[in-house]
Amino acid sequence: MPTKELWTLGSPHPTQCAGVAEQAEAEGFDGIVFPDSQGIGGDPYVAMAIAAHVTDRIQLGTGVTNPYTRHPAVAAGAIASIQAESGGRAVLGIGRGNSALAFLGLAPVPLGMFERYLARVQGYLRGDGVEMDRPAEGMRSSKSLALGTAPPTSRLQWLPRPEPKVPVDVAATGPKVIDLAARLGDRITFTVGGEEERIRWAVDTARAARRQAGLDPDEMSLGCFVNIVAHPDIHTARDLVSGFVTVMSRYAVLHGETTGPLSDDNKKVLRDIRDSYDMTKHTRAGTAQASVLTDNFIDSYAVVGPPKDCVARLEALFACGLDRIILIHGSPGADEAEMAKARRYLVEEVVPALR
């Protein structure tokens, strides 16, 4: 794989995922991630299975799943199945949960639960025996309902060999999750925006955590999610990117306090996003949460403007120590004609220039 991987975000809709994956591979992307949010999209594992059979090269990942809606054995079994079907192209992207949990009336999972989940899902993916949870009251077997002698641990007995282990890619924003990801993940994808200072801070935090844990910082792949619209008209670019910028930037203030280096003006914008956020209009342009964005905030948090400027920004982010960037293009609800034009600038000018 190239040292500078460019990934894209795809729709997991059952009638769209095949075409989306074929298009992404033809456009030269190295990977595609499918969101795991049952309230607003199709199943990402179905999407990846379909994508595996219509592509030959592109990597396939969840972008991202969470520890609540899928038991670690179920998530591991699903992504290991994709690994086998795709010939080793699967990645398990995971975070603490956002829209998938919000549409169930739930908050992101606590850090301790996330840590236990990561340890368990890694065990399943290695083929290890994983200590089973204590059954909930009413779920314990009785003599009359016993299913036989239970094994001391749970494992994926069918896990194929010698398939390479599926890498676990942890989406991380704050220092505590970055620390956890550096210790228990195989990859980290930062959700801190596209500002160089913030990327350097996140990279330094991850590398320090690896060293403190006695692990080699150079052995972990580091990436980031970046909102991008390449368009010669900066005002149009800002409009097109605005909806999804609110999604990705909100992680930095989701729990009340902002994380990482930020100007006072940008801290205020983040608090305004948090206070005005309407999950029923998640990702969309022209919303109340998008209206609080300032030009300076968009220009710092996202990569927008003429293609040559976008290339320079992305090159600078790679130079901060990243080897992978997941590009989130535009926003649902934005002008479709201008979105199509911006997509052409992205795949015809920006992506080739980074090769």
Side-chain angles (χ1 to χ4, degrees), residues 78-198:
I79 199 68
S81 300
I82 303 302
Q83 181 80 329
E85 286 295 313
S86 66
R89 293 186 279 143
V91 176
L92 182 65
I94 186 168
R96 292 173 65 188
N98 185 25
S99 60
L101 300 192
F103 282 103
L104 298 175
L106 300 169
V109 302
L111 197 62
M113 177 181 174
F114 192 37
E115 183 170 8
R116 289 190 300 274
Y117 190 98
L118 285 177
R120 288 182 172 185
V121 81
Q122 286 280 39
Y124 282 116
L125 290 172
R126 287 191 299 265
D128 298 344
V130 177
E131 183 180 353
M132 289 186 287
D133 290 320
R134 180 179 175 81
E137 192 66 35
M139 293 293 290
R140 298 185 183 93
S141 63
S142 65
K143 289 183 179 179
S144 61
L145 297 176
L147 300 178
T149 302
T153 57
S154 170
R155 63 166 21 97
L156 301 183
Q157 299 182 43
W158 65 270
L159 196 66
R161 295 287 188 256
E163 292 285 354
K165 175 190 165 296
V166 177
V168 174
D169 182 6
V170 182
T173 303
K176 292 181 180 179
V177 178
I178 293 174
D179 177 88
L180 186 157
R183 291 185 287 108
L184 295 178
D186 303 304
R187 306 180 180 188
I188 305 177
T189 301
F190 303 115
T191 53
V192 297
E195 199 169 6
E196 286 181 57
E197 183 182 14
R198 287 177 60 76

Side-chain angles (χ1 to χ4, degrees), residues 6-8 23-32 57-59 325 327 343 346-347 351 355:
L6 294 173
W7 289 51
T8 187
Q23 179 181 350
E25 185 166 81
E27 290 171 341
F29 286 101
D30 301 296
I32 183 170
R57 172 191 55 80
I58 198 166
Q59 297 176 75
I325 298 178
L327 302 175
R343 183 77 182 189
L346 177 66
V347 301
V351 172
R355 296 309 186 192

Side-chain angles (χ1 to χ4, degrees), residues 253-288:
V253 73
L254 198 59
H255 300 283
E257 296 297 323
T258 56
T259 60
L262 287 160
S263 69
D264 289 340
D265 287 344
N266 281 1
K267 286 181 181 179
K268 181 182 183 305
V269 172
L270 285 172
R271 288 192 291 268
D272 290 343
I273 292 171
R274 179 197 61 201
D275 294 342
S276 62
Y277 205 86
D278 182 351
M279 186 58 74
T280 66
K281 296 178 174 60
H282 189 59
T283 76
R284 300 192 67 80
T287 59

Side-chain angles (χ1 to χ4, degrees), residues 236-314:
T236 299
R238 290 171 182 148
D239 288 342
L240 298 179
V241 84
S242 62
F244 243 121
V245 166
T246 64
V247 178
M248 304 310 295
S249 61
R250 180 170 168 260
Y251 290 117
V253 73
L254 198 59
H255 300 283
E257 296 297 323
T258 56
T259 60
L262 287 160
S263 69
D264 289 340
D265 287 344
N266 281 1
K267 286 181 181 179
K268 181 182 183 305
V269 172
L270 285 172
R271 288 192 291 268
D272 290 343
I273 292 171
R274 179 197 61 201
D275 294 342
S276 62
Y277 205 86
D278 182 351
M279 186 58 74
T280 66
K281 296 178 174 60
H282 189 59
T283 76
R284 300 192 67 80
T287 59
Q289 55 259 34
S291 71
V292 307
L293 299 174
T294 64
D295 289 349
N296 286 337
F297 184 89
I298 293 174
D299 293 349
S300 63
Y301 229 89
V303 173
V304 291
K308 63 180 180 59
D309 294 344
C310 293
V311 171
R313 284 283 305 279
L314 294 174

